[in-house]
Amino acid sequence: KNQVEQSPQSLIILEGKNCTLQCNYTVSPFSNLRWYKQDTGRGPVSLTIMTFSENTKSNGRYTATLDADTKQSSLHITASQLSDSASYICVVSELTGTASKLTFGTGTRLQVTL
Amino acid sequence: GAVVSQHPSRVICKSGTSVKIECRSLDFQATTMFWYRQFPKQSLMLMATSNEGSKATYEQGVEKDKFLINHASLTLSTLTVTSAHPEDSSFYICSARTEGDQPQHFGDGTRLSIL
């Protein structure tokens, strides 16, 4: 069964600090991996997308890494801001024929405090 | 670009009421739309996949007679929760994509509360 596991489940950090969120997956065949940010009561918003051949991708203060051999990904947030408080969801896409099927992680709830 | 609008954002109604939620792709044609349900502190769970002009494909355990999905055009899909009960209270999110392996774009969700 395809699974996506994220750690930690929740995290509290001080504003300005860095943090790294982890994602391990067993999805196969792998198509791509996305990190989403979901604010409370809102829909997920894509931060980064990585395909099999990509190791690192940045989007502002967000940097995602992917190790397709070990099936691990991380999302590093630099110089955190209060507005970074949200759930971060790792989503892995499985290529099935001409369409893709998504497997969602349970997310990491990040709280940035003063 | 790639905006998905979901309406209403919040619904509170009595048990037994049927509730319709709309999902629109505002600036692209959505060949496929997806409906998800999310309970507190849990991840999104796919309920069904709908392709324009055809019947929706429901995930295992999702009652198709209770969650009616219509995808009549390339920009609109609706989810109707029929005879809603308190256990149907949840956060319902739709997403849309053009085709194949193109990314899904998510709406902002509908918070459904059944009293």
Side-chain angles (χ1 to χ4, degrees), chain A residues 2 28-29 31 93-102, chain B residues 97 100-101:
Chain A
N2 288 334
S28 181
S31 177
S93 178
E94 169 194 356
L95 191 61
T96 57
T98 57
S100 60
K101 182 177 180 180
L102 303 184
Chain B
R97 72 170 182 217
D101 201 29

Side-chain angles (χ1 to χ4, degrees), chain A residues 31 34 38 42-43 98 100 104-105, chain B residues 38 43 100-101 103-104 107-108:
Chain A
S31 177
R34 286 180 178 266
Q38 184 179 21
R42 304 294 295 273
T98 57
S100 60
F104 289 77
Chain B
Q38 185 178 32
S43 188
D101 201 29
Q104 293 183 29
D108 267 342

Side-chain angles (χ1 to χ4, degrees), chain B residues 46-112:
Chain B
L46 179 65
M47 298 175 66
T49 302
S50 73
N51 292 295
E52 185 265 338
S54 61
K55 289 184 178 180
T57 302
Y58 290 81
E59 295 298 301
Q60 192 173 9
V62 178
E63 299 175 57
K64 61 180 181 181
D65 294 330
K66 182 167 185 62
F67 299 99
L68 302 178
I69 292 172
N70 184 282
H71 190 169
S73 77
L74 285 172
T75 59
L76 173 65
S77 176
T78 60
L79 168 68
T80 301
V81 184
T82 61
S83 188
H85 292 285
E87 59 266 29
D88 297 323
S89 299
S90 188
F91 192 54
Y92 292 85
I93 304 176
C94 74
S95 72
R97 72 170 182 217
T98 51
E99 59 186 3
D101 201 29
Q102 294 302 307
Q104 293 183 29
H105 303 282
F106 289 85
D108 267 342
T110 296
R111 173 74 58 195
L112 176 61

Side-chain angles (χ1 to χ4, degrees), chain A:
Chain A
K1 181 180 178 182
N2 288 334
Q3 289 186 314
V4 176
E5 296 185 352
Q6 291 186 241
S7 62
Q9 282 190 335
S10 62
L11 183 62
I12 301 175
I13 61 173
L14 294 175
E15 185 182 28
K17 297 296 185 182
N18 304 334
C19 67
T20 301
L21 315 180
Q22 301 291 341
C23 173
N24 297 332
Y25 62 93
T26 61
V27 175
S28 181
F30 174 86
S31 177
N32 59 65
L33 183 148
R34 286 180 178 266
W35 282 93
Y36 284 87
K37 177 185 179 186
Q38 184 179 21
D39 292 311
T40 301
R42 304 294 295 273
V45 175
S46 180
L47 296 175
T48 63
I49 177 171
M50 301 182 72
T51 57
F52 186 87
S53 60
E54 296 176 297
N55 300 121
T56 304
K57 184 164 283 189
S58 292
N59 176 5
R61 295 181 296 104
Y62 301 105
T63 300
T65 66
L66 174 65
D67 185 334
D69 291 330
T70 61
K71 298 187 176 181
Q72 296 179 326
S73 175
S74 68
L75 179 69
H76 186 76
I77 304 175
T78 304
S80 61
Q81 300 176 358
L82 296 178
S83 59
D84 292 333
S85 297
S87 287
Y88 291 84
I89 305 172
C90 175
V91 183
V92 182
S93 178
E94 169 194 356
L95 191 61
T96 57
T98 57
S100 60
K101 182 177 180 180
L102 303 184
T103 302
F104 289 77
T106 53
T108 293
R109 298 174 66 85
L110 173 66
Q111 185 177 349
V112 181
T113 65
L114 294 172

